Amino acid sequence: MTVAFDRSGLEHFIQDSEWTDIQTQIEHADQQLRAKTGVGARYTDWLHLPSTFTEAELTAIQHAAQRIQQQSRVLVVIGIGGSYLGAKMALDFVKSKWHNDLVQDQECKVYFAGNSLSAADLKRTMQVIGKQDFSVNVISKSGTTTEPALAFRFFRKELVARYGEVGANQRIYATTDGERGALHDEALSEGYERFVIPDGVGGRFSVLTAVGLLPMAAAGIDIEQVLAGAKEAEGDYQSKQLADNPALQYAAARRILYDKGYHTEILANWEPSLQYLGEWWKQLMGESEGKNQKGIYPSSANYSTDLHSIGQYIQEGRRDLFETVVRVEQEQVDATVPVTNQQDGLAYLEGRQLSTVNQTAALGVALAHIDGGVPNMAVTVAIQDAFNLGELIYFFELAVGISGYLFAINPFNQPGVEAYKTAMFALLNKPGYEAASRAYAQRLQK
Ligand code: PA5
């Protein structure tokens, strides 16, 4: 187990007896999840993905990634939500947010598209790609999500213009449902190479399928190591006993704090390359728990940047926040602060390692936040590599599964996501939405 959970910053907020008291509920939630007796159980196959991942699927992904690397300098990954955030998070985590600028010979640059409806963003992405050869990995479980479906039209048109119909189809990789959906059907008829998102794995739990693994592999990440880390976690996090299972401790702490009125969680980091871990985690937590007027509101903070923006609020604003810090024990790169003759009062830091300054700042901020009334816990990874990434993904997935059942909601659906779609489709006059279109038109006239 390389991921660790540090609850020392909860001492003033959670009594020992409260940990003991929640053990029975935890066991019940764990039993529901593992025995597949809880609500939404048909979408819990992510639980055993690492140990059941087949050699054939792994090889197919690796071969496709090699083909992409041979045919193109750039891979455009088109998807949104669970079909986007996992790959983006993984790339930044293992390679850094500068991957496209520091890319090695054999690796692909990866640009993401189809995660907004912004024309400016789409056009600028195409402008950045310029004349570089590119391939497309279009990812959509439903195959009908507006944002990726529209972006795919633009990039497919560009592929056809450059490489012709046959050449374009050889550069399109579709990750979608195995049996149905518009993208599935198009992939079959056009002959795109296909990867399947398993039925029992929802979008936000799909990073350890081809959804996340194909972009990772094209970027040069060792996906066998990602799966190995996740598999180790699957084995290590079996215990129902809080004392032995860090993922359960995290889920329990969240639930206890929620009951005490701490309704907002901040996932904080001290590495810019972890910013998208926060974005991925927000979807995982928010879509899983935010139901029936319940759930912890997930937010994120990137330190030390955000100490100069929302830091004031965290220290002294409404006292309903708690903080989970993702700590990296050993930073990948370090630097010694140069000795100069600058007169800014910071000479005392010269000659020291920047990593030490960063870690000391993290400790100081945690103590200040605890003193300010913000419960603080930490999830620690040894190093930002593929193995630790796999373990960390599994840690958070398991924790939210347990946490969802502690809230007595279905953690594996997302009914609320449909509400905005109905309004948007009605306003855009999508066929089939005529009645809603008329109702919105009348409402807007008033
Ligand atoms: O978690 C989910 O299921 C959603 O966030 C989806 O991932 C997102 O809406 C994209 O859906 P799709 O993959 O069907 O295009």
Side-chain angles (χ1 to χ4, degrees):
M1 216 184 277
T2 59
V3 172
F5 180 67
D6 178 356
R7 60 190 205 193
S8 55
L10 297 175
E11 244 173 32
H12 302 301
F13 304 95
I14 298 181
Q15 310 294 317
D16 285 349
S17 60
E18 291 174 293
W19 292 106
T20 315
D21 292 347
I22 202 168
Q23 173 68 45
T24 314
Q25 287 178 60
I26 286 280
E27 277 172 37
H28 181 60
D30 189 87
Q31 171 69 15
Q32 281 182 302
L33 186 63
R34 292 185 193 278
K36 289 187 180 276
T37 54
V39 276
R42 61 182 286 244
Y43 293 108
T44 55
D45 288 355
W46 52 269
L47 204 53
H48 302 297
L49 255 183
S51 61
T52 55
F53 209 90
T54 66
E55 236 357 268
E57 175 78 349
L58 179 65
T59 308
I61 294 172
Q62 287 170 326
H63 284 169
Q66 280 161 12
R67 231 180 94 209
I68 294 168
Q69 288 168 342
Q70 281 156 12
Q71 65 189 180
S72 294
R73 188 62 176 147
V74 169
L75 176 65
V76 181
V77 176
I78 299 178
I80 195 165
S83 296
Y84 156 53
L85 290 164
K88 171 69 179 149
M89 171 266 286
L91 236 81
D92 284 12
F93 186 98
V94 180
K95 292 286 189 180
S96 96
K97 64 175 190 165
W98 301 107
H99 169 72
N100 288 342
D101 298 291
L102 299 173
V103 69
Q104 304 286 309
D105 279 352
Q106 296 306 312
E107 304 168 348
C108 275
K109 299 181 190 179
V110 178
Y111 291 100
F112 292 91
N115 51 64
S116 79
L117 290 166
S118 162
D121 199 66
L122 179 88
K123 287 285 182 181
R124 285 176 189 142
T125 307
M126 295 182 109
Q127 205 181 337
V128 169
I129 294 166
K131 295 199 182 318
Q132 297 176 93
D133 281 320
F134 73 96
S135 301
V136 165
N137 180 199
V138 54
I139 309 173
S140 179
K141 189 165 188 196
S142 61
T144 53
T145 306
T146 310
E147 293 90 339
L150 292 182
F152 183 45
R153 282 165 166 73
F154 286 91
F155 282 99
R156 187 172 192 286
K157 190 172 168 218
E158 181 62 25
L159 281 176
V160 172
R162 288 193 198 191
Y163 308 106
E165 284 282 344
V166 175
N169 291 354
Q170 288 169 347
R171 287 169 181 270
I172 298 173
Y173 300 78
T175 307
T176 187
D177 191 275
E179 282 167 23
R180 62 194 84 81
L183 182 56
H184 164 268
D185 297 348
E186 181 176 329
L188 270 190
S189 67
E190 300 293 332
Y192 310 152
E193 182 159 358
R194 275 187 311 133
F195 290 92
V196 172
I197 310 175
D199 267 349
V201 180
R204 58 189 172 276
F205 290 86
S206 68
V207 56
L208 296 175
T209 70
V211 170
L213 296 174
L214 181 57
M216 286 188 225
I221 294 176
D222 184 346
I223 59 172
E224 284 181 55
Q225 278 299 301
V226 177
L227 288 169
K231 192 172 172 186
E232 181 155 301
E234 186 186 327
D236 284 351
Y237 300 155
Q238 292 287 332
S239 173
K240 288 181 172 29
Q241 295 306 311
L242 270 178
D244 305 327
N245 190 331
L248 297 188
Q249 287 171 30
Y250 173 56
R254 298 175 79 249
R255 180 70 185 141
I256 297 170
L257 291 169
Y258 181 84
D259 284 342
K260 289 171 177 248
Y262 296 101
H263 292 172
T264 298
E265 179 176 9
I266 303 166
L267 193 82
N269 69 73
W270 287 82
E271 280 295 333
S273 54
L274 297 184
Q275 181 182 350
Y276 269 84
L277 176 68
E279 300 303 320
W280 170 81
W281 171 91
K282 281 191 279 192
Q283 188 206 1
L284 184 68
M285 296 288 162
E287 263 189 10
S288 300
E289 284 185 349
K291 284 156 207 170
N292 306 350
Q293 278 92 54
K294 292 193 261 188
I296 295 166
Y297 180 76
S299 70
S300 58
N302 306 298
Y303 296 148
S304 61
T305 310
D306 284 340
L307 295 174
H308 301 259
S309 65
I310 54 172
Q312 169 62 34
Y313 191 103
I314 298 171
Q315 191 65 46
E316 294 184 342
R318 250 167 22 132
R319 298 298 75 187
D320 60 356
L321 309 173
F322 66 96
E323 190 170 44
T324 302
V325 183
V326 177
R327 278 198 312 239
V328 181
E329 267 173 12
Q330 192 191 329
E331 295 183 15
Q332 282 163 314
V333 178
D334 210 344
T336 309
V337 181
V339 178
T340 67
N341 58 4
Q342 283 167 249
Q343 301 301 310
D344 53 9
L346 293 166
Y348 72 101
L349 295 176
E350 290 179 354
R352 296 211 216 168
Q353 296 305 105
L354 208 46
S355 63
T356 311
V357 181
N358 199 24
Q359 281 159 10
T360 311
L363 179 62
V365 167
L367 294 173
H369 286 177
I370 291 166
D371 292 347
V374 180
N376 182 287
M377 49 192 159
V379 177
T380 303
V381 291
I383 189 166
Q384 278 178 243
D385 64 7
F387 187 91
N388 277 270
L389 173 70
E391 189 166 333
L392 192 62
I393 288 169
Y394 196 88
F395 173 92
F396 282 124
E397 288 182 346
L398 179 61
V400 80
I402 299 290
S403 183
Y405 284 155
L406 289 176
F407 278 111
I409 48 97
N410 180 352
F412 307 114
N413 64 1
Q414 52 284 331
V417 174
E418 295 309 312
Y420 94 87
K421 288 186 188 168
T422 305
M424 181 175 81
F425 291 153
L427 291 169
L428 288 168
N429 297 316
K430 181 174 178 175
Y433 288 77
E434 290 77 7
S437 296
R438 281 193 296 276
Y440 276 112
Q442 278 174 6
R443 190 171 148 190
L444 290 173
Q445 256 177 4
K446 283 184 199 162

